[in-house]
Amino acid sequence: MSETQLRARHQQRVEELCAAAIRALSGEADLHFRARRLHRGRRALPLFAPHLHPSLDTDDFVSFRGAADGLALRLSKSDGALHQSLCPTDPVERLVFDLLEQIRVEALVPANMPGIAHNLRHRFEAWSLAFHHSGLTDGARGILLYTVAQICRARVTGERVLEATEDLLEATRGALAPLLGHDLAGLRRTRSAQAAYAVHALGVARTVAGMLRSGVTDDTPPLSADDDDDNARAVFGLVIETEGDLTEPVHTAASGRSRVLETADDGYRIYTSAYDRECLAASLVRAELLKELRARLDARVAGQGVNVARLARELRELLAVPARDGWDGGQEEGYIDGRRLALLVASPTERRLFRTEHIEPAANCVLTVLVDCSGSMREHIESVAMLVDVLVRALEQAGVTTEVLGFTTGAWNGGLAQRDWIRAGRPLHPGRLNEVLHLVFKDAGTRWQHARPGMAALLKGDLFREGIDGEAVTWACRRLAGRTEDRKLLLVLSDGSPMDSATNLANDAHYLDHHLRGVVQNVEASSMVEIFGVGVGLDLSPYYSRSHVLDLAGSTGNQMFREMIDLIAGHGRR
């Protein structure tokens, strides 16, 4: 098993153990980790506080248990609705206020659970040392936030500040004493009452935010309203590797139940498929324009500086499995090689009479990338096209067969299908009421080198109209079913829920997304295709049990591909 696979399995095992501990302590049965983020059911929970996110690269298992215990206490001893209602709008105040609430719940560990108290202390100390050793305490802003975290936790829990950095805090602690003294005393006194505690926590948060904005030293320029969040996050979010806000989860795709679909005897309906098309995307773009789009895409790829060879090696380690690839002869042990027995007569001392099976890792799998080509994806398409182009090239270098598909509609607002429906007298609940257009940017039988022009058609913005996701997933899975590879993977890239205005108006608002959920559930239950949902700035977990939110604006090229590898390797919640 490769190092990447071993790491993924280790990460999954640690997350399963931590999730079990959180469920036991909090009493909530539907908690689990997916993509290194704690979820309740299919909804991602807030990130809470910076020290609750250890890393396998730098932290031991006790740190993970401490973070798990901290999350369990937050869920069981903090009223989330009350906290949200009291949470300030200023970003820096919000960061400090959230940390102080986490400190409060960690101070409420029952006396008969000393192991939890030890785990919490260990985790906070590990985070503190990482913060200090990273050099963040060298600046005025960093030492201010660090000192606030240390003295507030010491006051609320009754434990000493971290001994290794105690001397470092003295000057800043002395300066803070007259400003925070009253609220610090109140934090300790009211730690058992969340609402009363919040009054003092807000006081601390306002004071700290004011100091950061006004400049904590004479030679430190004040923070502006535009950069206070970035500066505080850069310092306070040391070990939070996930983009997103500390108090608000990533937006989740809106989904609901369709009464029309539930009550229909024949299930999902298609009014007419007479105008549906499946075609090569390159055939819809003029040759000269396709060359221009390819040049633009190449420039975007070059600007990202992605190490394709390294990415290919990591994908090969992840997706390849040992496979027999002939025999190695002339060995001193193994199976007797009948073709070499004559050597034994000529040379009785000859020992190289054996052969062994040659085992070579081979990626006997096919991966399809299905791109949502709805109108809202236009603003993201250059980044998406770059991601898909590099990923396909690296996968092929790793020996993986690839296919790139897209889905849209042939027209806005129903097109010819809606025209026929109107002429027929507008019968009730017609089902899907538009002409689907399924695009093939690269088929599985074509190498990337020959499919390069067709891949550039992803940048043709006027192809992007509306999206009927459920049928597109069925189409992609049907194409995968015709392949002979042992392992089949489908990666769906989308920025929202299914949307076709004509279909929704003629049926109900959730007709298409209800169908998508049913399609994905059937695919996941069959286990013939491994399906992953990649949300472009949106959480697709209402549809896909294995999903990831991709931040195209805040992620570098290499980081995006690392997230893709982690998604495929980690498998998420099943």
Side-chain angles (χ1 to χ4, degrees):
M1 187 176 295
S2 70
E3 181 180 347
T4 303
Q5 291 170 317
L6 288 172
R7 175 184 170 80
R9 288 199 175 186
H10 181 50
Q11 177 78 39
Q12 186 175 2
R13 178 62 175 161
V14 169
E15 289 181 351
E16 287 173 352
L17 291 171
C18 290
I22 296 171
R23 289 192 294 268
L25 290 170
S26 67
E28 297 190 34
D30 58 347
L31 298 172
H32 60 272
F33 281 96
R34 180 163 71 245
R36 303 183 184 180
R37 181 82 173 268
L38 186 64
H39 284 64
R40 180 186 285 121
R42 290 197 168 192
R43 186 174 182 82
L45 293 175
L47 295 173
F48 295 128
H51 64 281
L52 298 182
H53 307 275
S55 168
L56 281 178
D57 295 330
T58 56
D59 294 302
D60 56 14
F61 184 68
V62 180
S63 275
F64 279 88
R65 279 303 308 269
D69 292 341
L71 289 168
L73 289 168
R74 184 63 175 267
L75 295 173
S76 61
K77 296 187 179 297
S78 178
D79 184 334
L82 175 61
H83 179 77
Q84 190 65 32
S85 68
L86 297 172
C87 201
T89 57
D90 179 87
V92 179
E93 292 181 24
R94 191 164 67 246
L95 290 166
V96 176
F97 182 71
D98 198 79
L99 175 67
L100 292 176
E101 176 60 13
Q102 183 61 38
I103 289 173
R104 184 186 75 83
V105 299
E106 292 184 9
L108 301 179
V109 179
N112 61 347
M113 294 183 174
I116 292 180
H118 171 267
N119 293 341
L120 293 170
R121 173 72 179 176
H122 177 88
R123 176 61 206 140
F124 189 78
E125 288 184 351
W127 173 80
S128 300
L129 288 172
F131 191 110
H132 174 56
H133 292 152
S134 69
L136 290 175
T137 53
D138 295 342
R141 295 184 178 94
I143 191 62
L144 172 63
L145 288 171
Y146 182 77
T147 303
V148 168
Q150 296 296 321
I151 63 175
C152 287
R153 192 177 194 279
R155 183 63 65 92
V156 176
T157 63
E159 299 174 351
R160 287 188 58 184
V161 297
L162 182 64
E163 186 177 356
T165 59
E166 189 171 6
D167 293 340
L168 180 69
L169 308 179
E170 284 308 311
T172 308
R173 179 158 53 179
L176 288 172
L179 300 174
L180 302 181
H182 171 72
D183 286 321
L184 285 175
L187 292 177
R188 171 76 178 179
R189 187 175 60 254
T190 61
R191 61 180 182 170
S192 298
Q194 184 177 347
Y197 178 91
V199 174
H200 301 288
L202 286 169
V204 173
R206 280 193 292 267
T207 300
V208 172
M211 294 178 71
L212 285 171
R213 279 192 294 269
S214 61
V216 292
T217 65
D218 293 338
D219 59 349
T220 302
L223 293 173
S224 69
D226 294 329
D227 64 6
D228 56 355
D229 188 20
D230 293 337
N231 279 273
R233 191 178 303 280
V235 176
F236 234 9
L238 171 64
V239 294
I240 297 182
E241 310 230 341
T242 309
E243 291 291 329
D245 194 74
L246 289 176
T247 58
E248 297 177 2
V250 175
H251 290 296
T252 303
S255 180
R257 300 170 68 89
S258 168
R259 287 190 176 184
V260 172
L261 190 53
E262 285 181 336
T263 58
D265 294 333
D266 51 352
Y268 179 76
R269 299 172 184 169
I270 299 173
Y271 183 72
T272 178
S273 58
Y275 308 108
D276 296 350
R277 288 186 295 157
E278 175 185 325
C279 60
L280 293 174
S283 67
L284 303 177
V285 187
R286 291 183 295 105
E288 289 301 317
L289 177 59
L290 204 58
K291 290 181 181 178
E292 294 177 13
L293 296 177
R294 185 65 239 185
R296 199 168 96 201
L297 180 55
D298 287 339
R300 182 63 182 262
V301 171
Q304 291 296 312
V306 178
N307 189 332
V308 178
R310 178 180 175 182
L311 177 61
R313 287 196 301 271
E314 292 183 355
L315 288 167
R316 182 176 176 82
E317 289 177 359
L318 175 63
L319 298 172
V321 294
R324 295 190 178 101
D325 186 25
W327 296 86
D328 291 327
Q331 306 296 312
E332 294 188 356
E333 58 181 14
Y335 299 97
I336 293 177
D337 188 351
R339 297 170 301 177
R340 299 180 64 86
L341 288 177
L343 290 175
L344 188 61
V345 177
S347 178
T349 60
E350 179 63 59
R351 299 181 58 85
R352 293 172 296 175
L353 306 173
F354 302 90
R355 64 176 182 168
T356 58
E357 284 187 294
H358 182 72
I359 305 297
E360 184 73 22
N364 186 17
C365 67
V366 54
L367 186 147
T368 295
V369 180
L370 179 63
V371 182
D372 174 8
C373 296
S374 59
S376 59
M377 280 284 281
R378 288 179 184 173
E379 62 179 296
H380 311 296
I381 198 56
E382 286 212 6
S383 296
V384 169
M386 181 279 298
L387 173 68
V388 173
D389 189 71
V390 175
L391 184 62
V392 166
R393 189 176 3 159
L395 283 165
E396 290 206 350
Q397 289 184 20
V400 178
T401 303
T402 60
E403 188 164 61
V404 181
L405 308 175
F407 62 95
T408 183
T409 57
W412 292 97
N413 304 317
L416 297 174
Q418 189 192 41
R419 183 202 63 184
D420 289 356
W421 173 70
I422 293 173
R423 288 177 177 176
R426 303 174 186 262
L428 290 176
H429 311 320
R432 187 257 287 171
L433 199 59
N434 205 331
E435 47 195 85
V436 300
L437 175 58
H438 290 160
L439 302 170
V440 179
F441 296 97
K442 175 191 175 301
D443 62 48
T446 305
R447 299 287 296 174
W448 173 82
Q449 290 90 338
H450 298 108
R452 288 179 69 252
M455 298 278 288
L458 276 166
L459 298 178
K460 187 73 162 55
D462 57 7
L463 295 178
F464 290 54
R465 298 183 183 94
E466 300 189 84
I468 301 173
D469 300 47
E471 291 187 49
V473 170
T474 302
W475 169 61
C477 288
R478 187 166 59 245
R479 291 176 66 96
L480 282 170
R483 301 294 305 175
T484 59
E485 288 82 359
D486 292 338
R487 188 177 178 189
K488 302 175 176 67
L489 302 96
L490 175 60
L491 204 65
V492 183
L493 283 164
S494 176
D495 71 335
S497 305
M499 173 53 66
D500 176 62
S501 55
T503 301
N504 288 345
L505 288 172
N507 297 276
D508 59 29
H510 298 295
Y511 190 79
L512 292 176
D513 72 82
H514 191 145
H515 176 241
L516 173 60
R517 286 201 315 276
V519 168
V520 174
Q521 287 171 6
N522 290 336
V523 172
E524 292 176 341
S526 71
S527 300
M528 293 183 62
V529 174
E530 299 174 47
I531 187 168
F532 307 88
V534 180
V536 180
L538 187 75
D539 182 5
L540 297 179
S541 59
Y543 306 116
Y544 305 92
S545 64
R546 289 178 286 190
S547 63
H548 176 72
V549 181
L550 191 65
D551 181 7
L552 295 177
S555 301
T556 63
N558 287 302
Q559 182 181 342
M560 284 193 288
F561 294 110
R562 167 52 54 194
E563 292 171 6
M564 294 296 98
I565 290 174
D566 287 346
L567 174 63
I568 297 171
H571 299 298
R573 177 73 172 173
R574 285 197 283 265

